[in-house]
């Protein structure tokens, strides 16, 4: 299992080094923006130039002549521009309104060819030559830096250097990797596998197929409180009020992140305690259309929660997957009958078999069951020659629901 971790470390830079980093960032952004403009030249996404090698062949020599960047930094900037346009093309295909990416934040991607990592410092390539920046480390211990960067289990992969205008400081986001087969659950196709389905919603932020509910009341309450404070501060058109608004914004961002990190930890723990090899979410694309009653902060929370679970789960030997969300809220998790009238707000009552339960809990079970069915058929088709079997279970609050072809045992 490929486990990646990132530690953020402040860099101690002299005035001369600061000028070198700003100059390097300016030229790096020039390359990334030139790349995005080149890829965006065609108005039809079918013709957009997003093949990385072709774009590099077309732009690399010119960008080397236009800048003083090292070769690897030019290539990294080209890659950033191509990837950004690819993301826009994907949204474009789905009918969403998009515009050409424009890069303004001073961030640069360094790999092991243009950055040398040492225990207490980072050597970086700039337009004015190599500079060595010591780390400014916090006094508390253990820190993510000590665990993931200095730890022997993880290897250095790359670093993103970012300039923070609010603090006037440079930071290194150091990415490390650990590949560990020993802790991976369900690493072979013949093992018994169990999955945990997770449904995300507005009134209930998350519901697991085990019947565990995570309420959204507390989250919504504090969102409203921060909004009230912000509205009151906006009425004070003073410099002190402006600074107070910025401090409030930082506190709110920190609170949101901490809240969702805690929820993500609890979801991963739920999977581990129920011996689940996989946590399954619905795909988040199009979630605004599926949940028109959701505010922007709900959509933001769903995406961050998924990212945090996907980040934390591999370290505890749990995979994270997604499934098509089509009709998961209308399908009966017991008999499979699907009808829009099965669900009425927060209640679910199957028109066919009469099965009744909380609507979000029913959806969570369907999410897990859909993934289990897909995995069962995938594993079975790969094992037909050997005649093997591959049981895949969905964890419920009273045991498991097993989908193995003709035998479907639905329990609750």
């Amino acid at each position: 299992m490929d486990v990646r971790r990132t530690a953020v470390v402040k860099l101690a830079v002299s005035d001369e080094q600061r000028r070198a980093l700003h100059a390097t960032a300016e030229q790096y952004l020039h390359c990334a923006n030139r790349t995005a403009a080149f890829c965006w030249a065609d108005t039809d996404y079918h013709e957009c130039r997003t093949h990385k090698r072709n774009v590099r062949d077309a732009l690399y020599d010119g960008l080397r002549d236009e800048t003083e960047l090292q070769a690897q930094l030019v290539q990294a900037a080209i890659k950033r521009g191509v990837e950004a346009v690819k993301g826009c093309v994907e949204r474009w295909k789905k009918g969403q309104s998009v515009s050409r990416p424009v890069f303004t934040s001073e961030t640069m991607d360094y790999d092991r060819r243009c950055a040398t990592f040492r225990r207490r410092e980072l050597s970086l390539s700039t337009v004015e030559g190599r500079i060595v920046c010591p780390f400014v480390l916090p006094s508390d211990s253990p820190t993510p830096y000590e665990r993931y960067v200095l730890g022997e289990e993880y290897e250095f992969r790359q670093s993103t250097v970012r300039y923070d205008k609010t603090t006037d400081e440079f930071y290194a986001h150091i990415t490390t990797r650990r590949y560990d087969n020993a802790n991976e659950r369900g690493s072979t196709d013949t093992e018994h596998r169990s999955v945990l389905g997770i449904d995300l919603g507005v009134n209930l932020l998350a519901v697991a197929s085990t019947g565990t509910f995570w309420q959204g009341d507390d989250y919504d309450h504090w969102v409203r409180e921060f909004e009230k404070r912000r509205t009151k501060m906006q009425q004070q058109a003073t410099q002190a009020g402006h600074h107070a608004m910025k401090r409030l914004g930082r506190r709110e961002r920190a609170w949101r992140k901490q809240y969702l990190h805690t929820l993500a930890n609890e979801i991963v723990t739920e999977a581990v305690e129920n011996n689940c090899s996989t946590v399954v979410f619905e795909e988040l694309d199009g979630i605004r259309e599926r949940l028109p009653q959701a505010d922007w902060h709900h959509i933001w929370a769903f995406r961050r929660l998924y990212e945090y679970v996907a980040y934390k789960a591999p370290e505890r030997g749990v995979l994270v997957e997604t499934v098509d969300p089509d009709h998961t809220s209308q399908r009966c998790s017991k008999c499979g009958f699907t009808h829009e009238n099965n669900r009425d707000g927060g209640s679910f009552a199957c028109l066919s078999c009469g099965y009744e339960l909380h609507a979000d809990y029913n959806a969570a079970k369907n999410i897990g069951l859909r993934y289990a069915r897909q995995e069962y058929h995938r594993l079975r088709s790969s094992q037909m020659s050997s005649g093997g079997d591959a049981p895949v279970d969905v964890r419920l609050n009273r045991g498991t629901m097993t989908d193995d072809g003709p035998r479907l045992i639905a329990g609750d």
Side-chain angles (χ1 to χ4, degrees):
M1 180 180 294
D2 191 357
V3 180
R4 294 177 182 266
R5 289 292 178 264
T6 301
V8 181
V9 185
K10 185 165 77 171
L11 300 177
V13 296
S14 65
D15 290 341
E16 184 178 349
Q17 291 173 332
R18 184 180 297 273
R19 287 192 297 270
L21 287 172
H22 280 306
T24 305
E26 181 180 0
Q27 296 189 25
Y28 185 94
L29 294 179
H30 167 76
C31 294
N33 284 316
R34 281 265 282 112
T35 301
F38 174 82
C39 295
W40 200 260
D42 297 304
T43 56
D44 187 343
Y45 71 75
H46 292 292
E47 301 175 359
C48 270
R49 294 174 279 198
T50 55
H51 191 284
K52 196 180 304 178
R53 179 176 296 178
N54 293 342
V55 175
R56 185 181 60 202
D57 291 345
L59 296 180
Y60 176 76
D61 290 338
L63 293 176
R64 284 301 306 276
D65 292 338
E66 295 171 15
T67 66
E68 302 170 281
L69 294 176
Q70 185 180 340
Q72 285 78 15
L73 284 175
V74 172
Q75 294 185 29
I78 292 174
K79 179 181 178 182
R80 177 182 291 186
V82 171
E83 294 299 326
V85 174
K86 278 185 177 179
C88 290
V89 169
E90 291 303 314
R91 295 193 295 274
W92 196 355
K93 289 178 180 179
K94 297 171 183 176
Q96 299 177 13
S97 177
V98 295
S99 57
R100 177 170 66 85
V102 177
F103 303 97
T104 58
S105 300
E106 293 187 45
T107 59
M108 299 168 284
D109 301 312
Y110 283 85
D111 62 18
R112 288 183 291 184
R113 294 171 294 178
C114 49
T116 303
F117 167 76
R118 303 188 183 100
R119 185 176 179 85
R120 299 290 176 181
E121 60 190 19
L122 193 63
S123 174
L124 300 170
S125 172
T126 72
V127 294
E128 298 181 12
R130 281 268 177 172
I131 63 173
V132 177
C133 303
F135 297 144
V136 180
L137 300 175
S139 56
D140 56 327
S141 183
T143 63
Y145 171 80
E146 292 172 323
R147 183 176 181 185
Y148 302 126
V149 180
L150 297 185
E152 295 181 357
E153 295 180 344
Y154 292 84
E155 64 173 350
F156 173 76
R157 298 298 298 170
Q158 64 181 33
S159 177
T160 298
V161 175
R162 175 182 62 87
Y163 173 66
D164 189 333
K165 289 183 179 180
T166 59
T167 61
D168 193 26
E169 301 286 357
F170 281 94
Y171 295 85
H173 296 240
I174 303 172
T175 301
T176 61
R177 183 181 69 177
R178 184 191 74 195
Y179 191 83
D180 186 3
N181 284 324
N183 292 331
E184 183 173 346
R185 289 192 176 96
S187 58
T188 64
D189 285 347
T190 57
E191 289 185 30
H192 189 99
R193 302 175 63 184
S194 297
V195 302
L196 182 73
I198 298 291
D199 180 64
L200 302 178
V202 175
N203 297 323
L204 295 166
L205 275 183
V207 179
S209 59
T210 52
T212 300
F213 290 70
W214 286 276
Q215 301 288 339
D217 296 346
D218 188 48
Y219 178 82
D220 290 337
H221 166 74
W222 281 106
V223 167
R224 291 192 296 269
E225 284 298 311
F226 279 114
E227 186 60 35
K228 288 178 184 177
R229 296 177 192 178
R230 188 179 298 106
T231 301
K232 189 175 294 186
M233 289 179 179
Q234 286 173 340
Q235 299 171 357
Q236 302 175 9
T238 63
Q239 179 130 13
H242 174 71
H243 290 315
M245 281 273 291
K246 292 178 71 173
R247 289 194 299 271
L248 179 66
R250 288 195 293 270
R251 286 200 300 272
E252 182 178 10
R253 288 192 295 272
W255 173 82
R256 287 177 187 272
K257 288 179 63 177
Q258 184 58 46
Y259 187 95
L260 294 175
H261 271 297
T262 300
L263 178 52
N265 286 331
E266 292 178 1
I267 290 175
V268 175
T269 299
E270 183 79 6
V272 172
E273 291 180 348
N274 285 277
N275 298 316
C276 295
S277 62
T278 310
V279 176
V280 185
F281 291 86
E282 287 182 327
E283 294 173 357
L284 294 179
D285 290 344
I287 194 169
R288 288 184 182 275
E289 291 73 24
R290 300 200 305 273
L291 293 175
Q293 73 276 26
D295 294 325
W296 69 267
H297 59 81
H298 290 118
I299 304 299
W300 179 90
F302 299 154
R303 297 190 184 282
R304 287 296 180 271
L305 179 60
Y306 170 77
E307 291 172 0
Y308 292 163
V309 174
Y311 176 83
K312 296 169 182 290
E315 191 169 53
R316 302 187 68 179
V318 178
L319 302 176
V320 178
E321 301 288 350
T322 60
V323 295
D324 188 339
D326 192 31
H327 299 309
T328 54
S329 64
Q330 300 173 2
R331 180 186 186 275
C332 177
S333 58
K334 185 174 184 179
C335 72
F337 178 73
T338 302
H339 195 282
E340 62 180 4
N341 292 334
N342 280 348
R343 176 166 186 167
D344 182 14
S347 301
F348 183 93
C350 181
L351 298 177
S352 177
C353 70
Y355 186 48
E356 296 184 9
L357 73 168
H358 192 283
D360 293 340
Y361 178 36
N362 176 73
K365 293 202 288 186
N366 279 328
I367 291 168
L369 183 59
R370 178 164 294 175
Y371 178 79
R373 182 178 293 115
Q374 292 174 358
E375 281 297 281
Y376 169 79
H377 290 299
R378 181 185 69 82
L379 298 175
R380 184 155 178 96
S381 63
S382 68
Q383 297 169 7
M384 287 294 288
S385 59
S386 62
D389 200 359
V392 184
D393 296 342
V394 180
R395 286 298 181 207
L396 304 178
N397 63 346
R398 297 180 187 173
T400 62
M401 176 164 54
T402 303
D403 188 12
D404 53 357
R407 294 186 298 109
L408 179 61
I409 305 171
D412 181 19

